[in-house]
C-alpha cells in the first residue's frame, strides 16, 4: 500500500521527504491546522490533492468564503485513504491526522455551510463510500448460537476502526440533513447503488454502527422521496432472505424500527403493496428462532397496520396461529403478549371470524406444563377488553376453553397456575352460571365416555394376549410375551 500511495506523490516531495523522518513530530494535534510537520505527514501518506492552489491542511477559517468549498473538496480527498486498524501501533500519527481532518469536515457541515456544489457532493459521497462500504469478515460466533434463542446473551462485536467510522457516519448524517444540500442534485450521487450499499451495512455486528445507519437511512427516506419505493423494496429483500433462506442477519431490529416510522406515514386506504408486505414479510418474521432479538419492533409494526386498518386484525391472528411455536416456550409467551395487544384493538366482526381456532389454541396454552405459558394465557382474562369479547360470544368460546380449565384444576402441578385457573372459572360462572353448569355436565359425560373407551381397549388387548398365549409355538412363529 505504501508503494501505491508514494507513487502518487510528486518526485520533489519524495526527495525532500527522504531526508526527513517518515513520521511527523509527536505534536500532531497542534500541527493539523497547517504546521510543517502535518504537511510532511500529508505528503508522505496521502495523495497529492491540491485544488486551485488550496492546501488541504489549511483551516477553514484561514481561507476566504469563496475558497471554502474548494478546501472542503481537498480535505475530502485527503480522507479517502483507509488505514489498517488491526495493528494499533501502525501509522499512529497518520491515523490521527486523518481523524483530525474528519473532525474539521464534520464541524464544517454542521455550521450551515454555503450551498454544496456538485463536485462537493460527488467528493462527499466518494469519501463516505471509500471509508464505509466494505465486506464484513465471517462471523466469529458459532452457527448454533447465532440463530438460537440466546442471541441476547452474545457479546457485541466492536469494529476496530470505529474511531474513524463514527466521524464518517456523523458527517454523512449531517451532510444528508443539511439545508445546503439540494435534493435534485444530490439524488444523482445518493442513488440506488449508494442506498443499496448502505442497507448492506446493516449486517454489521457492531451495534453502534447499526444505530448510525438507522438514523441515516431514515433521513434519506424522508428527504429523497424519489428513492422511497426502492428503499422499501431493498428492505423487503433483506427480510425475505432472512426468513426463507439464512435466518442470520444482525440488523433486522433496526430495519423494522425504520419501517415502524414509515408505516405511520402510510396514507389511507392502504395500498395493496403495503398489505402484501404485512402478509408476506411481517407475519412470516414470527417464524425464525431469533424472534426475541427484534420482537418489540415487529410487534409495533404489526400494531401500526391494525390501527390504520382494523380489518387486518383477523389476517394477523390467522398468521400467528399458522406460525405458532409448539416446542419453544419463550416464543409462545411472546405470541400470547402480542395476541393480547391485538385483541385490545380488534373489532367484534373480525374477532368472530377467528375466535374458534384462536380459543382452541389458547386451550392448549392453558394446559401447558410450562407454567409461564399457562400463566400468560390465563392472564388474558385480566384484560377487560378481552373479557368483553368473550362475554359477547360466550356460547361458543366457553365450551371450548372450559375442559382445559377443568384439567388444570384437577392435575396442574403449579400452584400459581392452579389459583389463576380457579379465578377464571369463578369469573365465567358469574358471567353465565347456567352455561357453566351445562359445560360441567358435558365435561363429565366426555370423561366417562373416554374412560369407557380406555377400558374397552384394555379388554380387547387382554383377549388378544390370552388368545396368543394358547397358540402352540412352532418354527419361527412370533409370540407375544407378557412383561408382567
Amino acid at each position: 500500500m505504501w508503494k501505491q500511495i508514494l507513487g502518487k506523490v510528486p518526485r520533489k516531495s519524495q526527495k525532500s521527504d527522504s531526508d526527513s523522518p517518515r513520521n511527523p513530530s509527536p505534536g500532531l494535534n497542534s500541527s493539523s491546522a497547517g504546521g510543517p510537520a502535518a504537511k510532511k505527514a500529508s505528503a508522505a501518506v496521502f495523495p497529492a490533492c491540491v485544488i486551485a492552489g488550496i492546501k488541504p491542511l489549511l483551516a477553514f477559517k484561514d481561507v476566504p468564503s469563496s475558497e471554502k468549498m474548494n478546501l472542503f473538496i481537498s480535505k475530502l480527498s485527503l480522507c479517502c485513504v483507509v488505514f489498517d486498524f488491526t495493528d494499533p501501533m501502525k501509522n499512529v500519527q497518520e491515523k490521527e491526522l486523518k481523524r483530525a481532518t474528519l473532525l474539521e469536515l464534520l464541524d464544517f457541515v454542521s455550521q450551515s455551510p454555503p450551498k454544496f456544489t456538485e463536485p462537493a457532493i460527488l467528493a462527499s459521497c466518494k469519501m463516505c463510500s471509500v471509508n464505509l462500504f466494505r465486506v464484513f469478515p465471517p462471523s466469529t460466533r458459532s452457527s448454533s448460537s447465532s440463530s438460537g434463542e440466546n442471541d441476547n446473551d452474545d457479546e457485541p462485536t466492536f469494529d476496530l476502526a470505529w474511531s474513524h467510522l463514527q466521524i464518517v457516519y456523523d458527517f454523512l448524517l449531517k451532510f444528508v440533513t443539511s439545508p445546503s444540500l439540494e435534493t435534485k442534485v444530490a439524488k444523482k450521487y445518493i442513488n440506488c447503488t449508494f442506498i443499496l450499499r448502505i442497507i448492506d451495512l446493516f449486517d454489521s455486528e457492531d451495534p453502534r454502527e447499526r444505530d448510525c445507519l438507522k438514523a441515516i437511512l431514515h433521513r434519506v427516506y424522508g428527504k429523497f422521496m424519489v428513492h422511497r419505493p426502492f428503499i422499501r423494496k431493498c428492505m423487503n429483500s433483506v427480510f425475505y432472505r432472512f426468513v426463507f433462506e439464512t435466518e442470520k442477519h444482525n440488523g433486522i431490529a433496526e430495519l423494522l424500527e425504520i419501517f415502524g416510522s414509515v408505516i405511520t406515514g402510510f396514507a389511507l386506504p392502504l395500498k395493496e403493496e403495503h398489505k402484501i408486505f404485512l402478509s408476506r414479510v411481517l407475519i412470516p418474521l414470527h417464524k425464525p428462532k431469533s424472534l426475541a432479538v427484534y420482537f418489540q419492533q415487529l410487534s409495533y409494526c404489526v400494531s401500526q397496520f391494525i390501527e390504520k386498518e382494523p380489518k387486518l386484525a383477523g389476517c394477523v391472528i390467522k398468521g400467528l396461529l399458522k406460525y405458532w411455536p409448539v416446542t419453544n416456550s419463550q416464543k409462545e409467551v411472546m405470541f400470547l403478549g402480542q395476541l393480547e395487544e391485538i385483541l385490545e384493538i380488534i373489532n367484534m366482526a373480525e374477532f368472530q371470524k377467528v375466535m374458534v381456532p384462536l380459543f382452541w389454541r389458547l386451550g392448549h396454552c392453558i394446559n401447558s406444563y410450562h407454567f409461564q405459558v399457562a400463566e400468560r394465557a390465563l392472564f388474558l382474562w385480566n384484560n377487560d377488553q378481552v373479557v368483553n369479547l368473550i362475554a359477547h360470544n360466550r356460547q361458543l368460546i366457553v365450551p371450548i376453553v372450559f375442559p382445559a380449565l377443568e384439567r388444570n384444576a384437577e392435575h396442574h402441578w403449579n400452584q400459581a397456575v392452579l389459583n389463576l385457573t380457579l379465578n377464571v372459572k369463578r369469573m365465567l360462572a358469574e358471567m353465565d352460571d347456567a352455561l357453566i353448569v351445562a359445560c360441567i355436565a358435558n365435561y363429565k359425560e366426555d370423561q366417562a365416555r373416554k374412560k369407557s373407551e380406555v377400558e374397552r381397549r384394555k379388554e380387547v388387548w387382554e383377549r388378544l394376549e390370552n388368545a396368543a398365549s394358547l397358540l402352540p409355538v412352532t418354527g419361527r412363529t412370533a409370540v407375544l410375551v407378557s412383561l408382567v
Side-chain angles (χ1 to χ4, degrees):
M1 186 183 77
W2 279 101
K3 291 181 179 180
Q4 295 176 355
I5 294 175
L6 291 173
K8 299 179 181 179
V9 182
R11 291 187 176 276
K12 290 184 180 179
S13 300
Q14 290 178 343
K15 184 176 181 181
S16 60
D17 290 342
S18 64
D19 299 329
S20 61
R22 177 171 297 231
N23 292 330
S25 60
L28 186 61
N29 288 335
S30 60
S31 63
S32 62
K39 292 178 182 177
K40 288 183 180 180
S42 174
V45 179
F46 300 108
C49 48
V50 178
I51 297 179
I54 300 296
K55 297 181 179 180
L57 291 179
L58 289 174
F60 283 104
K61 64 181 180 179
D62 296 335
V63 298
S65 299
S66 59
E67 296 295 340
K68 283 187 176 181
M69 199 54 65
N70 285 336
L71 179 60
F72 178 68
I73 297 173
S74 294
K75 288 182 180 290
L76 287 168
S77 300
L78 200 86
C79 294
C80 285
V81 177
V82 180
F83 294 103
D84 180 13
F85 282 83
T86 56
D87 184 0
M89 303 306 296
K90 186 177 180 182
N91 306 125
V92 176
Q93 295 180 339
E94 290 87 346
K95 291 174 183 175
E96 188 60 32
L97 173 60
K98 178 181 175 182
R99 187 174 186 276
T101 308
L102 287 170
L103 288 171
E104 284 187 83
L105 292 169
L106 175 60
D107 186 62
F108 178 74
V109 297
S110 302
Q111 295 179 354
S112 300
K115 176 183 171 183
F116 290 116
T117 61
E118 189 165 346
I121 298 173
L122 172 60
S124 298
C125 292
K126 179 182 177 183
M127 189 276 289
C128 294
S129 300
V130 169
N131 284 277
L132 300 179
F133 299 158
R134 61 206 189 279
V135 178
F136 296 116
S139 175
T140 56
R141 301 174 185 176
S142 64
S143 58
S144 60
S145 64
S146 62
S147 60
E149 300 178 23
N150 299 322
D151 277 0
N152 289 331
D153 299 333
D154 289 331
E155 290 294 330
T157 303
F158 297 113
D159 200 303
L160 298 174
W162 185 246
S163 58
H164 285 189
L165 290 175
Q166 181 181 19
I167 307 173
V168 178
Y169 276 120
D170 291 343
F171 170 85
L172 181 56
L173 179 60
K174 293 291 185 182
F175 178 71
V176 168
T177 57
S178 174
S180 303
L181 181 66
E182 285 192 358
T183 307
K184 291 182 179 179
V185 181
K187 69 181 181 181
K188 293 164 53 179
Y189 304 102
I190 303 179
N191 53 20
C192 293
T193 302
F194 188 89
I195 292 171
L196 182 60
R197 297 295 300 275
I198 287 286
I199 294 176
D200 287 341
L201 291 174
F202 273 89
D203 201 20
S204 170
E205 292 188 0
D206 193 329
R208 302 169 301 180
E209 183 169 14
R210 298 198 300 270
D211 284 339
C212 292
L213 288 164
K214 178 178 65 177
I216 290 169
L217 186 59
H218 188 266
R219 296 293 186 176
V220 170
Y221 188 91
K223 188 161 188 173
F224 296 88
M225 295 184 64
V226 66
H227 292 322
R228 289 182 180 181
F230 178 77
I231 293 174
R232 293 197 299 268
K233 182 178 179 182
C234 290
M235 294 169 71
N236 285 359
S237 178
V238 173
F239 293 138
Y240 283 135
R241 190 163 57 250
F242 170 72
V243 172
F244 299 108
E245 294 180 15
T246 64
E247 288 197 8
K248 294 180 182 178
H249 196 282
N250 296 304
I252 298 299
E254 287 78 10
L255 289 172
L256 284 172
E257 193 167 339
I258 295 172
F259 236 114
S261 60
V262 169
I263 294 169
T264 59
F266 285 166
L268 295 176
L270 291 174
K271 296 180 180 178
E272 191 63 26
E273 169 200 348
H274 305 324
K275 295 179 182 179
I276 291 175
F277 172 75
L278 171 66
S279 60
R280 296 185 182 177
V281 177
L282 292 185
I283 293 177
L285 274 171
H286 290 82
K287 178 183 176 182
K289 294 179 180 178
S290 56
L291 173 65
V293 177
Y294 55 85
F295 176 74
Q296 183 179 357
Q297 293 83 356
L298 177 61
S299 180
Y300 177 77
C301 289
V302 172
S303 298
Q304 288 295 306
F305 266 105
I306 297 175
E307 287 180 4
K308 282 192 169 289
E309 195 162 315
K311 291 183 179 180
L312 295 173
C315 171
V316 172
I317 291 178
K318 289 178 182 177
L320 290 177
L321 294 176
K322 177 181 178 181
Y323 293 106
W324 197 275
V326 293
T327 59
N328 189 326
S329 300
Q330 180 190 13
K331 284 182 65 176
E332 203 163 5
V333 171
M334 289 188 285
F335 272 51
L336 289 167
Q338 185 174 9
L339 191 62
E340 182 174 4
E341 293 179 4
I342 297 171
L343 292 176
E344 286 180 349
I345 56 179
I346 196 173
N347 59 44
M348 187 64 69
E350 291 299 316
F351 175 75
Q352 290 174 344
K353 294 178 182 178
V354 296
M355 62 182 181
V356 173
L358 172 60
F359 278 87
W360 275 112
R361 172 53 60 188
L362 288 177
H364 288 289
C365 294
I366 290 171
N367 287 146
S368 173
Y369 284 109
H370 195 290
F371 75 97
Q372 290 179 336
V373 176
E375 269 186 343
R376 194 65 188 85
L378 291 166
F379 278 149
L380 290 175
W381 272 263
N382 291 341
N383 189 304
D384 293 337
Q385 175 64 17
V386 176
V387 171
N388 182 56
L389 292 170
I390 294 172
H392 281 83
N393 301 276
R394 58 184 180 276
Q395 297 297 331
L396 282 176
I397 293 175
V398 173
I400 294 174
V401 298
F402 187 82
L405 295 172
E406 281 292 310
R407 284 191 291 270
N408 266 16
E410 293 174 1
H411 306 297
H412 205 283
W413 65 273
N414 186 272
Q415 187 62 43
V417 173
L418 182 60
N419 293 337
L420 286 171
T421 301
L422 296 177
N423 290 338
V424 172
K425 286 183 63 179
R426 193 178 304 112
M427 181 186 301
L428 294 178
E430 294 174 357
M431 186 184 298
D432 193 332
D433 185 59
L435 179 60
I436 294 300
V437 171
C439 289
I440 292 174
N442 291 335
Y443 177 77
K444 290 181 177 179
E445 290 179 5
D446 187 60
Q447 290 299 106
R449 179 178 55 80
K450 288 181 179 180
K451 186 177 180 180
S452 64
E453 287 181 358
V454 170
E455 292 176 352
R456 183 178 59 82
R457 191 180 298 113
K458 185 178 180 181
E459 291 175 0
V460 170
W461 277 109
E462 287 178 352
R463 287 200 300 271
L464 289 173
E465 289 177 359
N466 293 333
S469 63
L470 296 176
L471 293 176
V473 179
T474 57
R476 297 182 179 180
T477 305
V479 178
L480 181 63
V481 179
S482 175
L483 299 178
V484 180

